Amino acid sequence: MTIKEKIVDLKSQLPASVTLVAVSKFKSIENILEAYEAGQRDFGENYVQELVEKAEALPKDIRWHFIGHLQSNKVKYIAPFVHLIHSVDSLKLLKEINKQGENNSRKISCLLQIHIAQEDTKSGMTPQEFLEVISSKELIALPHVDVIGLMGMSTFTEDLNLVKSEFKDLATIFQEGQKTQPSLTELSMGMSGDFQTAITEGSTMVRIGSTIFGSR
Ligand SMILES: *Cc1c(COP(=O)(O)O)cnc(C)c1O
């Protein structure tokens, strides 16, 4: 299948309420344009410099999602245009995003990344830290960030039962968060290998790369 056909096929599998974020890291401008021509507008990138270069070269109505590990000193490069940062893992980073949002006279939407997978390589807050941050006074003092939900990844494993139970846990933490913060609307979970399971467990945003663009 071509990239266009992959997009059409994936969209037919997703409920209308689920946002498809096409993860385009390491993929060319031409590949991204092909997805764009199929109507795709949400794209996800992992690296600041790559994102900035692509955003300059591509149509301005693309909604760019930052999904990789973000260093505080690089927030300023994406702050003028980023649509949603999925990978906020500390209050310190949130404060820097607020500062850069202020510098650009905008409010930057963010998800807090939660770590539940059984791998130390994945970053993120503990569920406890997440609940503390969303109910903290410090968050109220950051008018240029809008925390709208959480992002999580499952363990990289063939064990679908483990993946399912991790997505269930993320959904539970999300619902827990909504009790203190009803404005939380987005639960970003699910990638090429596990998006169907993630949707069954309540995902509102899937981040899909290799299924669309081929392996990296
Ligand atoms: C690369 C990446 C994806 C996409 O992974 P695929 O398995 O290629 O669909 C999703 N989320 C994050 C955080 C990633 O880094």
Side-chain angles (χ1 to χ4, degrees):
M1 272 197 264
T2 63
I3 290 173
K4 260 188 193 168
E5 288 164 345
K6 291 269 172 56
I7 294 281
V8 172
D9 182 57
L10 262 175
K11 290 245 169 166
S12 73
Q13 295 179 53
L14 302 178
S17 57
V18 173
T19 303
L20 170 61
V21 179
V23 176
S24 48
K25 59 175 176 248
F26 306 143
K27 296 298 170 181
S28 67
I29 298 288
E30 290 71 29
N31 284 175
I32 297 173
L33 271 178
E34 197 178 334
Y36 180 89
E37 279 154 18
Q40 182 62 26
R41 290 295 179 272
D42 292 273
F43 290 88
E45 288 284 340
N46 289 58
Y47 303 97
V48 167
Q49 193 182 338
E50 186 177 350
L51 169 54
V52 169
E53 287 171 5
K54 285 174 172 174
E56 278 170 10
L58 283 154
K60 298 302 167 225
D61 62 340
I62 287 180
R63 294 181 288 271
W64 290 105
H65 297 245
F66 190 82
I67 63 171
H69 180 67
L70 183 57
Q71 288 168 274
S72 290
N73 62 354
K74 296 198 172 160
V75 173
K76 58 177 176 287
Y77 302 113
I78 62 172
F81 66 90
V82 71
H83 175 68
L84 178 62
I85 301 174
H86 290 231
S87 44
V88 178
D89 59 1
S90 69
L91 190 57
K92 175 178 168 267
L93 182 57
L94 220 41
K95 287 179 181 167
E96 177 61 18
I97 296 168
N98 182 68
K99 184 176 150 197
Q100 298 304 334
E102 185 173 10
N103 286 346
N104 288 279
S105 309
R106 65 186 294 246
K107 199 163 180 154
I108 300 176
S109 296
C110 298
L111 306 179
L112 302 181
Q113 184 173 354
I114 310 291
H115 178 86
I116 50 150
Q118 296 180 346
E119 293 147 295
D120 288 338
T121 48
K122 288 177 179 153
S123 49
M125 301 180 183
T126 64
Q128 187 59 37
E129 286 168 328
F130 164 72
L131 293 172
E132 277 168 22
V133 170
I134 59 160
S135 53
S136 70
K137 288 203 181 72
E138 285 171 289
L139 185 59
I140 300 165
L142 304 177
H144 293 276
V145 295
D146 200 3
V147 174
I148 61 168
L150 74 85
M151 187 270 256
M153 275 186 264
S154 65
T155 302
F156 184 71
T157 171
E158 302 280 293
D159 181 356
L160 275 181
N161 285 323
L162 176 60
V163 170
K164 197 172 178 66
S165 83
E166 289 176 343
F167 286 152
K168 264 193 206 306
D169 288 348
L170 286 169
T172 303
I173 299 158
F174 178 62
Q175 286 154 13
E176 201 59 36
Q178 283 179 315
K179 285 181 198 161
T180 34
Q181 208 54 261
S183 57
L184 300 182
T185 54
E186 302 300 333
L187 177 53
S188 168
M189 60 181 194
M191 316 189 349
S192 289
D194 55 21
F195 73 89
Q196 277 117 342
T197 309
I199 289 169
T200 308
E201 299 309 328
S203 170
T204 66
M205 250 181 200
V206 291
R207 309 175 311 272
I208 300 184
S210 43
T211 293
I212 298 169
F213 297 109
S215 58
R216 290 178 291 272

